[in-house]
Amino acid sequence: AAGVIQSPRHLIKEKRETATLKCYPIPRHDTVYWYQQGPGQDPQFLISFYEKMQSDKGSIPDRFSAQQFSDYHSELNMSSLELGDSALYFCASSLRRPPDTQYFGPGTRLTVL
Amino acid sequence: SQQGEEDPQALSIQEGENATMNCSYKTSINNLQWYRQNSGRGLVHLILIRSNEREKHSGRLRVTLDTSKKSSSLLITASRAADTASYFCATDSDRGSTLGRLYFGRGTQLTVWP
């Protein structure tokens, strides 16, 4: 069965640089979620999209933005990177109604030097 | 925070033994899901239990949900070394504005010794 695809899997950036993370949800899933997991921490919700519209916003810094495109893939754009942004970034997809299982991608490990 | 604590934070057992992990949450929910994560890897979905269900089984996994106590438990029977991982519970709110957002517990690190 098709899974959530994330790219790149690993990314190394310098402070103040920008990064773009991509997510391709499971086909026919209408909702995409982004989560951030710091070292030794639990995943924290960042933002979600339903049918290409932002549906919910969590603890996402103003330096980050995201969107969902017509083909349902999503991109998380991160600017002015800080050392503290180093983390695993997960994308998950699901069917919105009824609230159902969220399937997670393998994650993008971002390291900011 | 919607989530409380997971208990225990770390669990170390021998192969063949059963492992029980607990999690608590604070507000009303639609579903509770359990995920597994190998060190630094992706989150693998294990099982989902809806708020109107009390128990669910999947292979060697058994999940219970007590909405009156706002708690859930995950039992892994006849554990194997390959079960070594972190286990997270995650709840989603029944409030429309945050529909679908998952709140994770801090996780239980399970180590199964051969």
Side-chain angles (χ1 to χ4, degrees):
Chain A
V4 177
I5 297 171
Q6 289 188 249
S7 67
R9 295 292 305 278
H10 301 271
L11 191 57
I12 299 175
K13 290 286 185 178
E14 299 278 342
K15 275 172 41 178
R16 292 180 287 278
E17 286 191 322
T18 61
T20 297
L21 280 53
K22 296 185 178 183
C23 168
Y24 297 85
I26 292 172
R28 289 181 294 281
H29 278 188
D30 53 20
T31 307
V32 166
Y33 307 84
W34 286 97
Y35 294 85
Q36 177 192 57
Q37 185 180 29
Q41 312 231 336
D42 51 291
Q44 296 289 320
F45 172 78
L46 292 177
I47 195 167
S48 64
F49 293 87
Y50 167 63
E51 286 291 344
K52 293 156 277 185
M53 299 288 289
Q54 181 182 307
S55 59
D56 189 12
K57 192 172 182 179
S59 50
I60 182 170
D62 291 341
R63 300 177 289 107
F64 295 5
S65 65
Q67 57 182 324
Q68 188 178 29
F69 294 86
S70 58
D71 64 351
Y72 290 91
H73 95 272
S74 178
E75 295 184 3
L76 178 65
N77 299 293
M78 310 159 71
S79 62
S80 302
L81 287 169
E82 301 174 356
L83 296 178
D85 296 328
S86 295
L88 264 172
Y89 290 83
F90 290 108
C91 170
S93 74
S94 75
L95 289 170
R96 183 173 178 85
R97 294 199 183 271
D100 212 336
T101 300
Q102 287 188 27
Y103 294 95
F104 281 72
T108 294
R109 180 172 294 282
L110 172 66
T111 302
V112 182
L113 301 175
Chain B
S1 168
Q2 172 134 338
Q3 272 293 16
E5 293 292 324
E6 287 201 37
D7 170 44
Q9 291 188 351
L11 181 60
S12 186
I13 59 175
Q14 296 289 134
E15 264 192 333
E17 293 181 338
N18 295 341
T20 300
M21 290 159 268
N22 304 292
C23 89
S24 61
Y25 57 92
K26 295 178 180 176
T27 64
S28 58
I29 62 172
N30 278 312
N31 307 309
L32 186 144
Q33 306 184 52
W34 283 91
Y35 289 87
R36 165 200 166 116
Q37 184 179 37
N38 289 80
S39 181
R41 307 288 292 275
L43 290 157
V44 176
H45 183 261
L46 296 177
I47 198 165
L48 178 151
I49 186 165
R50 301 195 186 282
S51 59
N52 61 354
E53 297 176 310
R54 292 297 167 257
E55 187 171 314
K56 206 161 181 181
H57 297 255
S58 176
R60 293 184 296 115
L61 305 180
R62 172 177 168 252
V63 169
T64 62
L65 178 64
D66 187 335
T67 52
S68 66
K69 295 181 180 177
K70 292 187 170 57
S71 67
S72 174
S73 68
L74 170 68
L75 168 67
I76 304 175
T77 60
S79 62
R80 306 165 181 167
D83 293 330
T84 295
S86 291
Y87 291 82
F88 292 91
C89 70
T91 56
D92 66 337
S93 169
D94 65 353
R95 297 183 182 180
S97 62
T98 59
L99 191 65
R101 178 195 298 201
L102 288 182
Y103 298 87
F104 284 83
R106 294 194 180 278
T108 293
Q109 173 60 50
L110 173 66
T111 303
V112 182
W113 299 98

